[in-house]
Amino acid sequence: MPHTYDYPRAALTVDCVVFGLDEDDLKVLLIQRGQEPFAGRWALPGGFVHVDETIDQAARRELQEETGLSKVYLEQLYTVGDLGRDPRERVVTVAYYALVRLGDHRVQAATDARNAAWFAVDDPPRLAFDHDAILALALTRLQGKVRYQPLGFELLPPKFSLTRLQRMYEIILERPLDKRNFRKKVLSLGILEELDEVEQDVAHRAARLYRFDERSYRQLVKDGFNFEL
Amino acid sequence: MPHTYDYPRAALTVDCVVFGLDEDDLKVLLIQRGQEPFAGRWALPGGFVHVDETIDQAARRELQEETGLSKVYLEQLYTVGDLGRDPRERVVTVAYYALVRLGDHRVQAATDARNAAWFAVDDPPRLAFDHDAILALALTRLQGKVRYQPLGFELLPPKFSLTRLQRMYEIILERPLDKRNFRKKVLSLGILEELDEVEQDVAHRAARLYRFDERSYRQLVKDGFNFEL
DNA sequence: CCAAAAGTGTTTCACGTACACCCATGC
DNA sequence: GCATGGGTGTACGTGAAACACTTTTGG
């Protein structure tokens, strides 16, 4: 059933940069396109915004449909609408980025049998459309934001060791951090709850596990603080 | 001439939060709506994105058409697309914020004879649509960004005294700053060029004038720095 | 000469940074 | 007993914060 307007309208889409954390890499989730344009190329998961859903809802729906992911941390990134970014017609896309715990979710093949796979962010394949630029933008944003908001916990399992937490920051920020200073700083913030548990099945001394304490964090935000690493 | 699509499409608009700086207030530029919905209400300048222009271009064009402003600092803020934010139909808007030197530009009545006027940001009138929320978001963003990027210079005339610069930060951040510490900090950054000029026509000792040195600033950015106040 | 704002240094304290060794555990 | 990572404290330097008086100019 056709829909008619007085002036031509751009198509509106969402695209999601989904970050996941590996033992030693930051990864991004890509899907392989089945159709033209860019058939066979890898691309960010995404799709059209329906007229009866918000943009956030569209992003979550597409993520669910194309990758099986739900209940992830999701944040709007930027809206790009350069002419010619889609060879077919004028398409404006609202880009999002998402953070997921790699272990939690088994990535499913997409609904229409397209491939989905994780790639290291520093060595991605050539992407469709202007998705390289969007990925780069998302990475910059993550690196910036992780320094003053505790986003990173979304990438870790609920219980984690301080070493794992430190590794996460080192991977995202792409620079080594001092172990003692890191612990001093992160513990002094008082947003970690020390658990009576340690790592299991490790071939060395087991590390104590911690949990992110959202309640203390909210308190901290109210009072004003500095999360810099 | 009508345009037809298989699925209904949202209308795409831009809205601009234009900030200007007064002697003692941060102001925002609003236009009074001539038509329904919200006829007579004040609103952010903005309008439809044409299918053959980028979103940035649309924002600049609307600013020019509705307020006569051109060549201003302009940055994308956020994209909002809640259902029902426009009572007529589904409208997604890409919000921008702009910084202008109040003295430079005489605000013109808009093309279609609507009113345009400056309002203090802390005491704006009731706005049309969800423009209050967009204004609040823009203000938060400005307050955040001004602390690590020298955005503020866009609000001042090319030549300014240190006191004026300090007043600007105090107005935006809504807190007093220490005069000596402020001068020490801002001069130590080395991004101000000291001029051989002083204020004119003041009823007291004339202050020395400075100019923002973009070249040094770019250098500083490369090396990594901290602009915090 | 008075009013008004310009301009200027020092001390204190908190925090970031650099740095090395012993401990617990599994194999 | 050895390999592997876990866990801990101190000294130093930089930068933020607090703080008050003299100078210049116009009226």
Side-chain angles (χ1 to χ4, degrees):
Chain A
M1 71 172 88
H3 296 266
T4 300
Y5 307 100
D6 290 344
Y7 295 93
R9 291 188 170 187
L12 188 65
T13 62
V14 288
D15 286 303
C16 299
V17 180
V18 183
F19 290 114
L21 191 73
D22 206 305
E23 282 313 311
D24 32 34
D25 269 312
L26 187 63
K27 306 255 175 173
V28 59
L29 182 58
L30 301 174
I31 59 153
Q32 197 164 28
R33 291 183 56 82
Q35 299 140 17
E36 292 298 337
F38 300 104
R41 279 269 192 97
W42 293 91
L44 300 173
F48 292 94
V49 176
H50 297 172
V51 82
D52 60 351
E53 67 185 355
T54 67
I55 317 178
D56 284 16
Q57 282 165 2
R60 286 188 190 281
R61 179 182 49 73
E62 286 291 344
L63 221 44
Q64 169 68 47
E65 287 178 12
E66 296 208 324
T67 68
L69 296 172
S70 60
K71 296 199 206 132
V72 301
Y73 177 87
L74 189 69
E75 187 178 309
Q76 191 184 303
L77 176 64
Y78 202 78
T79 299
V80 282
D82 292 353
L83 304 179
R85 56 176 296 279
D86 187 311
R88 293 165 294 185
E89 65 161 331
R90 181 74 196 287
V91 178
V92 170
T93 194
V94 184
Y96 281 76
Y97 72 99
L99 304 179
V100 310
R101 309 179 213 279
L102 257 189
D104 281 19
H105 311 271
R106 188 175 307 266
V107 176
Q108 309 174 338
T111 40
D112 46 356
R114 285 177 283 177
N115 249 332
W118 292 97
F119 291 84
V121 289
D122 25 23
D123 186 28
R126 279 186 67 202
L127 299 184
F129 307 105
D130 51 4
H131 287 186
D132 331 78
I134 294 174
L135 172 58
L137 191 61
L139 187 55
T140 304
R141 177 87 134 252
L142 177 63
Q143 289 174 335
K145 197 139 190 183
V146 91
R147 282 157 26 129
Y148 60 94
Q149 277 193 243
L151 288 189
F153 297 99
E154 304 289 341
L155 291 166
L156 295 180
K159 301 170 181 181
F160 49 82
S161 69
L162 292 182
T163 300
R164 191 118 163 68
L165 184 64
Q166 181 180 342
R167 287 282 300 137
M168 181 198 75
Y169 278 101
E170 290 178 330
I171 290 169
I172 293 177
L173 299 177
E174 297 175 321
R175 69 184 156 93
L177 298 171
D178 179 86
K179 180 159 69 161
R180 279 176 289 191
N181 294 338
F182 178 83
R183 285 166 183 243
K184 201 189 316 174
K185 173 81 191 194
V186 80
L187 288 177
S188 76
L189 290 171
I191 58 172
L192 292 186
E193 183 185 352
E194 182 175 335
L195 301 174
D196 285 330
E197 274 178 83
V198 293
E199 289 178 320
Q200 299 299 321
D201 306 317
V202 287
H204 52 78
R205 176 174 175 181
R208 159 146 280 129
L209 296 180
Y210 292 78
R211 177 158 49 188
F212 174 58
D213 183 349
E214 180 128 10
R215 198 165 302 272
S216 319
Y217 170 65
R218 291 195 196 286
Q219 190 53 47
L220 194 61
V221 170
K222 261 195 249 169
D223 304 347
F225 74 120
N226 176 13
F227 196 69
E228 287 279 336
L229 294 164
Chain B
M1 71 172 85
H3 296 267
T4 301
Y5 307 100
D6 290 344
Y7 296 94
R9 290 189 170 186
L12 188 65
T13 62
V14 288
D15 286 303
C16 299
V17 180
V18 183
F19 290 114
L21 192 73
D22 205 305
E23 282 311 313
D24 31 35
D25 269 312
L26 188 63
K27 307 255 177 175
V28 60
L29 181 59
L30 301 174
I31 59 153
Q32 196 164 29
R33 290 182 56 83
Q35 299 139 14
E36 292 296 338
F38 301 104
R41 279 270 192 96
W42 293 90
L44 299 173
F48 291 94
V49 177
H50 297 172
V51 81
D52 59 352
E53 68 186 354
T54 67
I55 317 178
D56 285 16
Q57 282 165 1
R60 286 188 191 280
R61 179 182 50 73
E62 286 291 344
L63 222 44
Q64 169 68 47
E65 287 178 11
E66 298 209 324
T67 69
L69 295 172
S70 61
K71 295 199 207 133
V72 300
Y73 177 86
L74 191 69
E75 186 178 310
Q76 191 183 304
L77 177 63
Y78 202 78
T79 299
V80 282
D82 293 352
L83 304 180
R85 56 176 295 278
D86 188 312
R88 293 165 295 185
E89 65 160 332
R90 180 75 196 285
V91 179
V92 170
T93 194
V94 184
Y96 281 77
Y97 71 100
L99 304 178
V100 310
R101 309 180 213 276
L102 257 190
D104 281 19
H105 312 272
R106 188 176 307 267
V107 175
Q108 310 174 338
T111 41
D112 45 358
R114 285 177 282 178
N115 250 331
W118 292 97
F119 292 84
V121 289
D122 22 26
D123 186 28
R126 280 185 66 202
L127 299 184
F129 307 105
D130 52 3
H131 288 187
D132 331 79
I134 294 174
L135 173 57
L137 191 62
L139 187 55
T140 304
R141 177 85 135 254
L142 177 63
Q143 289 174 335
K145 197 141 188 180
V146 90
R147 283 153 29 123
Y148 60 94
Q149 276 194 243
L151 288 189
F153 297 100
E154 304 288 341
L155 292 166
L156 295 179
K159 300 171 181 180
F160 49 83
S161 69
L162 291 182
T163 300
R164 190 116 162 68
L165 184 64
Q166 182 180 342
R167 286 284 299 137
M168 181 198 77
Y169 277 102
E170 289 177 330
I171 289 169
I172 294 177
L173 299 177
E174 298 175 319
R175 68 182 157 94
L177 298 171
D178 179 86
K179 181 158 70 161
R180 281 175 287 191
N181 292 337
F182 179 83
R183 284 164 183 244
K184 201 188 316 171
K185 172 81 191 196
V186 80
L187 288 177
S188 76
L189 289 172
I191 58 173
L192 292 186
E193 183 184 353
E194 183 175 335
L195 301 176
D196 284 331
E197 272 178 85
V198 294
E199 288 178 320
Q200 299 299 320
D201 305 317
V202 288
H204 52 77
R205 176 173 176 183
R208 158 147 280 128
L209 295 180
Y210 292 79
R211 178 158 48 188
F212 174 59
D213 182 350
E214 179 128 7
R215 199 164 302 274
S216 318
Y217 171 65
R218 291 195 196 286
Q219 190 53 47
L220 194 60
V221 169
K222 261 196 248 169
D223 305 347
F225 75 121
N226 177 15
F227 196 69
E228 286 278 337
L229 296 162

